[in-house]
Amino acid sequence: MSENAPGAVIAISSHVVRGAVGNRAAVFALETLGHPVWALPTIVLPWHPGHGRSTRLTFPEADFDHAIDDLIRAPWLGEVKAVLSGYFGNAAQARSVARLVSALRERNPDFLYVCDPVMGDLGGLYVPEATAEAIRDHLIPLASLATPNRYELAWMAGAPLESNTAIMEAALALGPARMLVTSAVPMMAGGTGNLYLTGRHALLAEHRVIENPPNGLGDLLSAVFLSRLLSGMEEERALQLATASVYEILARTAKRGGDELTLASDASSLSTPMAMVQMRRLVHPAQKLKR
Protein backbone atom coordinates (compact mmCIF):
# COMPACT_ATOMS: atom_id res chain seq x y z
CA MET A 1 0.00 0.00 0.00
CA SER A 2 1.39 3.40 -0.93
CA GLU A 3 2.22 6.05 1.64
CA ASN A 4 -0.68 8.28 0.51
CA ALA A 5 -3.32 5.55 0.30
CA PRO A 6 -6.22 5.79 2.77
CA GLY A 7 -5.61 3.60 5.80
CA ALA A 8 -7.40 0.29 6.07
CA VAL A 9 -9.95 -0.05 8.87
CA ILE A 10 -10.95 -3.21 10.73
CA ALA A 11 -14.70 -2.89 11.35
CA ILE A 12 -16.10 -5.23 14.01
CA SER A 13 -19.84 -5.28 14.63
CA SER A 14 -23.10 -7.04 13.79
CA HIS A 15 -24.06 -7.95 10.22
CA VAL A 16 -27.62 -7.92 8.91
CA VAL A 17 -28.80 -9.54 5.67
CA ARG A 18 -31.25 -6.71 5.00
CA GLY A 19 -30.76 -3.20 6.24
CA ALA A 20 -28.17 -0.58 7.09
CA VAL A 21 -27.17 -1.11 10.70
CA GLY A 22 -23.96 -2.30 12.35
CA ASN A 23 -21.26 -3.22 9.88
CA ARG A 24 -23.65 -2.86 6.96
CA ALA A 25 -23.68 0.90 7.63
CA ALA A 26 -20.07 1.28 8.75
CA VAL A 27 -18.45 -0.71 5.96
CA PHE A 28 -20.48 1.02 3.24
CA ALA A 29 -19.54 4.45 4.58
CA LEU A 30 -15.85 3.66 4.99
CA GLU A 31 -15.50 2.09 1.55
CA THR A 32 -17.45 4.93 -0.08
CA LEU A 33 -14.97 7.35 1.50
CA GLY A 34 -12.05 5.37 0.10
CA HIS A 35 -10.91 3.06 2.89
CA PRO A 36 -10.13 -0.64 2.44
CA VAL A 37 -12.15 -2.44 5.13
CA TRP A 38 -11.54 -5.69 6.92
CA ALA A 39 -15.04 -6.56 8.16
CA LEU A 40 -15.47 -8.98 11.05
CA PRO A 41 -19.06 -9.82 12.09
CA THR A 42 -19.82 -10.45 15.75
CA ILE A 43 -23.28 -11.88 15.03
CA VAL A 44 -25.40 -12.29 11.89
CA LEU A 45 -29.11 -11.44 11.74
CA PRO A 46 -31.66 -11.42 8.91
CA TRP A 47 -32.55 -7.82 9.87
CA HIS A 48 -32.67 -5.53 12.88
CA PRO A 49 -34.78 -7.16 15.64
CA GLY A 50 -36.89 -4.01 15.79
CA HIS A 51 -38.56 -5.18 12.58
CA GLY A 52 -39.75 -8.42 14.19
CA ARG A 53 -38.51 -11.99 14.59
CA SER A 54 -34.84 -12.14 13.57
CA THR A 55 -32.90 -15.34 14.17
CA ARG A 56 -29.54 -14.68 15.79
CA LEU A 57 -26.60 -16.55 14.24
CA THR A 58 -23.65 -16.65 16.62
CA PHE A 59 -20.04 -17.83 16.73
CA PRO A 60 -18.46 -19.98 19.45
CA GLU A 61 -16.33 -17.80 21.71
CA ALA A 62 -13.19 -19.84 21.00
CA ASP A 63 -13.65 -19.55 17.23
CA PHE A 64 -14.02 -15.76 17.41
CA ASP A 65 -10.90 -15.58 19.58
CA HIS A 66 -8.95 -17.72 17.08
CA ALA A 67 -10.04 -15.37 14.28
CA ILE A 68 -8.62 -12.47 16.30
CA ASP A 69 -5.36 -14.42 16.59
CA ASP A 70 -5.32 -14.75 12.80
CA LEU A 71 -5.76 -10.99 12.40
CA ILE A 72 -2.96 -10.27 14.86
CA ARG A 73 -0.64 -12.54 12.85
CA ALA A 74 -1.79 -11.29 9.45
CA PRO A 75 1.09 -10.34 7.11
CA TRP A 76 -0.93 -7.29 5.96
CA LEU A 77 -1.49 -5.87 9.43
CA GLY A 78 0.69 -2.88 8.57
CA GLU A 79 -2.08 -1.67 6.24
CA VAL A 80 -4.42 -1.12 9.18
CA LYS A 81 -4.62 2.42 10.53
CA ALA A 82 -7.74 2.06 12.67
CA VAL A 83 -10.22 -0.29 14.32
CA LEU A 84 -13.91 0.54 14.72
CA SER A 85 -15.91 -1.67 17.07
CA GLY A 86 -19.66 -1.64 17.63
CA TYR A 87 -22.10 -4.35 18.70
CA PHE A 88 -20.78 -7.45 20.46
CA GLY A 89 -22.53 -10.78 20.75
CA ASN A 90 -21.00 -11.54 24.16
CA ALA A 91 -18.47 -10.32 26.71
CA ALA A 92 -15.71 -12.64 25.47
CA GLN A 93 -15.71 -10.94 22.06
CA ALA A 94 -14.99 -7.57 23.69
CA ARG A 95 -12.03 -9.05 25.56
CA SER A 96 -10.73 -10.61 22.32
CA VAL A 97 -10.93 -7.27 20.50
CA ALA A 98 -9.03 -5.65 23.36
CA ARG A 99 -6.14 -8.03 22.52
CA LEU A 100 -6.27 -6.98 18.87
CA VAL A 101 -6.27 -3.28 19.73
CA SER A 102 -3.33 -3.72 22.10
CA ALA A 103 -1.35 -5.62 19.46
CA LEU A 104 -1.99 -2.96 16.83
CA ARG A 105 -1.05 -0.13 19.19
CA GLU A 106 2.20 -1.91 20.05
CA ARG A 107 3.07 -1.92 16.35
CA ASN A 108 1.91 1.64 15.73
CA PRO A 109 1.44 4.09 18.63
CA ASP A 110 -0.49 6.43 16.28
CA PHE A 111 -3.06 3.72 15.53
CA LEU A 112 -6.65 4.95 16.04
CA TYR A 113 -9.22 2.89 17.92
CA VAL A 114 -12.84 4.07 17.85
CA CYS A 115 -15.10 2.31 20.34
CA ASP A 116 -18.82 2.71 19.71
CA PRO A 117 -20.15 1.14 22.93
CA VAL A 118 -23.37 -0.24 21.49
CA MET A 119 -25.22 -1.41 24.57
CA GLY A 120 -28.49 0.45 25.08
CA ASP A 121 -30.78 3.43 24.67
CA LEU A 122 -33.58 5.16 26.55
CA GLY A 123 -35.36 1.83 27.08
CA GLY A 124 -32.35 0.40 28.95
CA LEU A 125 -29.57 -2.04 28.11
CA TYR A 126 -30.20 -4.31 25.13
CA VAL A 127 -27.09 -6.41 25.67
CA PRO A 128 -26.40 -8.57 28.74
CA GLU A 129 -24.89 -6.58 31.61
CA ALA A 130 -21.72 -8.70 31.42
CA THR A 131 -21.21 -7.56 27.80
CA ALA A 132 -21.75 -3.91 28.72
CA GLU A 133 -19.28 -4.25 31.60
CA ALA A 134 -16.68 -5.84 29.30
CA ILE A 135 -16.98 -2.93 26.86
CA ARG A 136 -16.69 -0.40 29.69
CA ASP A 137 -13.81 -2.14 31.49
CA HIS A 138 -11.73 -3.59 28.62
CA LEU A 139 -12.38 -1.42 25.55
CA ILE A 140 -13.19 2.11 26.72
CA PRO A 141 -9.78 2.44 28.44
CA LEU A 142 -8.08 1.58 25.12
CA ALA A 143 -10.16 3.92 22.96
CA SER A 144 -8.63 6.86 21.13
CA LEU A 145 -12.23 7.99 20.65
CA ALA A 146 -15.49 6.70 22.14
CA THR A 147 -18.86 7.42 20.54
CA PRO A 148 -21.63 6.57 23.05
CA ASN A 149 -25.15 7.89 23.00
CA ARG A 150 -26.21 9.81 26.09
CA TYR A 151 -27.83 6.77 27.71
CA GLU A 152 -24.75 4.60 27.18
CA LEU A 153 -22.49 7.25 28.69
CA ALA A 154 -24.88 7.62 31.64
CA TRP A 155 -24.85 3.86 32.23
CA MET A 156 -21.05 3.70 32.14
CA ALA A 157 -20.75 6.77 34.39
CA GLY A 158 -23.42 5.50 36.79
CA ALA A 159 -25.28 8.80 36.85
CA PRO A 160 -28.14 10.52 34.99
CA LEU A 161 -26.93 13.12 32.48
CA GLU A 162 -29.54 15.85 32.25
CA SER A 163 -27.30 18.66 30.97
CA ASN A 164 -24.38 19.08 28.61
CA THR A 165 -22.23 20.05 31.59
CA ALA A 166 -23.01 16.70 33.20
CA ILE A 167 -22.29 14.93 29.90
CA MET A 168 -18.90 16.62 29.61
CA GLU A 169 -17.95 15.87 33.21
CA ALA A 170 -18.89 12.19 32.75
CA ALA A 171 -16.95 12.02 29.50
CA LEU A 172 -13.83 13.44 31.15
CA ALA A 173 -14.15 11.06 34.11
CA LEU A 174 -14.54 7.98 31.90
CA GLY A 175 -11.13 8.41 30.34
CA PRO A 176 -10.82 8.41 26.51
CA ALA A 177 -8.94 11.45 25.21
CA ARG A 178 -11.80 12.17 22.79
CA MET A 179 -15.49 11.45 23.09
CA LEU A 180 -18.38 12.08 20.70
CA VAL A 181 -21.72 11.82 22.51
CA THR A 182 -24.86 11.54 20.41
CA SER A 183 -28.31 12.65 21.63
CA ALA A 184 -26.74 15.44 23.65
CA VAL A 185 -28.94 18.18 25.13
CA PRO A 186 -29.92 20.55 22.28
CA MET A 187 -29.67 24.31 22.55
CA MET A 188 -31.94 24.94 19.56
CA ALA A 189 -35.68 24.33 19.81
CA GLY A 190 -36.73 21.11 18.12
CA GLY A 191 -33.14 20.04 17.71
CA THR A 192 -30.71 17.31 18.70
CA GLY A 193 -26.98 17.44 19.03
CA ASN A 194 -23.66 15.63 18.86
CA LEU A 195 -21.31 16.79 21.61
CA TYR A 196 -17.58 16.35 20.95
CA LEU A 197 -15.17 16.71 23.84
CA THR A 198 -11.37 16.63 23.83
CA GLY A 199 -8.83 17.86 26.34
CA ARG A 200 -9.22 21.35 24.90
CA HIS A 201 -12.40 21.59 22.84
CA ALA A 202 -16.10 21.25 23.63
CA LEU A 203 -18.17 21.41 20.45
CA LEU A 204 -21.86 20.89 19.81
CA ALA A 205 -23.16 20.10 16.31
CA GLU A 206 -26.95 20.48 16.10
CA HIS A 207 -29.70 19.82 13.58
CA ARG A 208 -33.46 19.50 13.79
CA VAL A 209 -35.02 16.31 15.11
CA ILE A 210 -36.61 13.88 12.66
CA GLU A 211 -39.15 11.72 14.47
CA ASN A 212 -39.08 7.91 14.37
CA PRO A 213 -35.69 7.58 12.65
CA PRO A 214 -34.51 4.21 11.36
CA ASN A 215 -31.71 2.40 13.18
CA GLY A 216 -28.05 2.69 12.27
CA LEU A 217 -27.42 6.41 12.78
CA GLY A 218 -24.80 5.86 15.47
CA ASP A 219 -23.00 3.22 13.41
CA LEU A 220 -22.93 5.57 10.45
CA LEU A 221 -21.76 8.61 12.41
CA SER A 222 -18.88 6.70 14.03
CA ALA A 223 -17.65 5.45 10.65
CA VAL A 224 -17.89 8.81 8.86
CA PHE A 225 -16.25 10.72 11.71
CA LEU A 226 -13.45 8.14 11.85
CA SER A 227 -12.86 8.56 8.12
CA ARG A 228 -12.66 12.34 8.45
CA LEU A 229 -10.15 12.05 11.28
CA LEU A 230 -8.03 9.57 9.32
CA SER A 231 -7.91 12.04 6.44
CA GLY A 232 -6.22 14.55 8.75
CA MET A 233 -9.16 16.94 8.75
CA GLU A 234 -9.37 19.50 11.55
CA GLU A 235 -11.67 18.18 14.29
CA GLU A 236 -14.35 20.89 14.20
CA ARG A 237 -14.73 20.56 10.44
CA ALA A 238 -14.74 16.75 10.74
CA LEU A 239 -17.58 16.94 13.27
CA GLN A 240 -19.56 19.35 11.12
CA LEU A 241 -19.25 17.25 7.96
CA ALA A 242 -19.91 13.92 9.67
CA THR A 243 -23.02 15.30 11.38
CA ALA A 244 -24.21 16.84 8.10
CA SER A 245 -23.74 13.55 6.25
CA VAL A 246 -25.77 11.55 8.74
CA TYR A 247 -28.51 14.17 9.02
CA GLU A 248 -28.80 14.51 5.24
CA ILE A 249 -29.12 10.75 4.73
CA LEU A 250 -31.68 10.58 7.55
CA ALA A 251 -33.72 13.42 6.06
CA ARG A 252 -33.69 11.84 2.60
CA THR A 253 -34.62 8.45 4.02
CA ALA A 254 -37.54 9.99 5.92
CA LYS A 255 -38.74 11.80 2.80
CA ARG A 256 -38.85 8.47 0.95
CA GLY A 257 -40.62 6.77 3.85
CA GLY A 258 -37.79 4.25 4.19
CA ASP A 259 -37.61 1.85 7.14
CA GLU A 260 -33.82 1.56 6.71
CA LEU A 261 -31.23 4.23 5.91
CA THR A 262 -31.04 4.59 2.12
CA LEU A 263 -27.26 4.54 1.91
CA ALA A 264 -26.92 3.28 -1.64
CA SER A 265 -29.19 6.02 -2.98
CA ASP A 266 -27.47 8.73 -0.96
CA ALA A 267 -23.78 7.85 -1.15
CA SER A 268 -22.97 11.37 -2.32
CA SER A 269 -24.14 12.65 1.07
CA LEU A 270 -21.21 10.82 2.66
CA SER A 271 -18.56 12.61 0.62
CA THR A 272 -20.17 16.00 -0.09
CA PRO A 273 -23.04 16.74 2.32
CA MET A 274 -25.00 19.93 1.75
CA ALA A 275 -27.14 19.94 4.92
CA MET A 276 -26.77 22.83 7.32
CA VAL A 277 -25.48 22.06 10.81
CA GLN A 278 -25.40 24.56 13.67
CA MET A 279 -21.96 24.52 15.32
CA ARG A 280 -21.48 25.84 18.85
CA ARG A 281 -18.48 26.10 21.13
CA LEU A 282 -19.34 25.19 24.73
CA VAL A 283 -17.49 26.14 27.88
CA HIS A 284 -15.05 23.30 28.55
CA PRO A 285 -15.18 21.94 32.15
CA ALA A 286 -11.44 22.56 32.47
CA GLN A 287 -12.02 26.29 31.77
CA LYS A 288 -14.50 26.48 34.65
CA LEU A 289 -11.91 25.02 37.02
CA LYS A 290 -9.46 27.80 36.11
CA ARG A 291 -11.88 30.53 37.14
Side-chain angles (χ1 to χ4, degrees), residues 44 49 125-126 141 167 282 285 291:
V44 177
L125 288 179
Y126 46 65
I167 289 172
L282 305 181
R291 293 178 179 177

Side-chain angles (χ1 to χ4, degrees), residues 73-257:
R73 293 192 296 261
W76 317 279
L77 202 62
E79 300 172 0
V80 176
K81 298 296 187 290
V83 166
L84 170 61
S85 69
Y87 183 91
F88 288 103
N90 54 57
Q93 289 181 341
R95 293 190 291 269
S96 295
V97 170
R99 290 199 302 109
L100 173 64
V101 170
S102 296
L104 279 159
R105 186 155 286 146
E106 188 174 334
R107 290 176 58 110
N108 176 13
D110 295 327
F111 155 82
L112 188 61
Y113 170 46
V114 177
C115 178
D116 183 8
V118 179
M119 59 176 71
D121 214 324
L122 293 176
L125 288 179
Y126 46 65
V127 300
E129 190 164 332
T131 302
E133 290 172 348
I135 295 170
R136 180 193 64 196
D137 298 342
H138 295 280
L139 293 177
I140 290 294
L142 295 175
S144 315
L145 165 69
T147 60
N149 61 37
R150 195 198 326 179
Y151 170 82
E152 290 160 343
L153 178 59
W155 185 88
M156 290 189 288
L161 305 177
E162 303 299 336
S163 69
N164 285 332
T165 297
I167 289 172
M168 289 187 286
E169 290 173 350
L172 286 174
L174 202 59
R178 292 178 280 184
M179 189 170 290
L180 175 58
V181 184
T182 61
S183 304
V185 179
M187 297 179 70
M188 60 183 281
T192 186
N194 296 324
L195 195 161
Y196 182 58
L197 187 72
T198 72
R200 295 179 301 149
H201 300 300
L203 304 169
L204 183 66
E206 292 182 286
H207 59 76
R208 70 179 178 86
V209 167
I210 293 180
E211 299 295 337
N212 302 313
N215 294 291
L217 297 173
D219 306 305
L220 186 62
L221 179 67
S222 297
V224 178
F225 190 54
L226 167 58
S227 175
R228 296 302 188 186
L229 293 179
L230 283 176
S231 74
M233 185 176 289
E234 187 271 329
E235 290 178 314
E236 185 169 357
R237 180 64 172 160
L239 175 63
Q240 181 181 22
L241 284 181
T243 301
S245 288
V246 174
Y247 173 55
E248 190 169 298
I249 289 172
L250 172 59
R252 290 181 173 181
T253 299
K255 188 174 182 179
R256 296 188 183 99

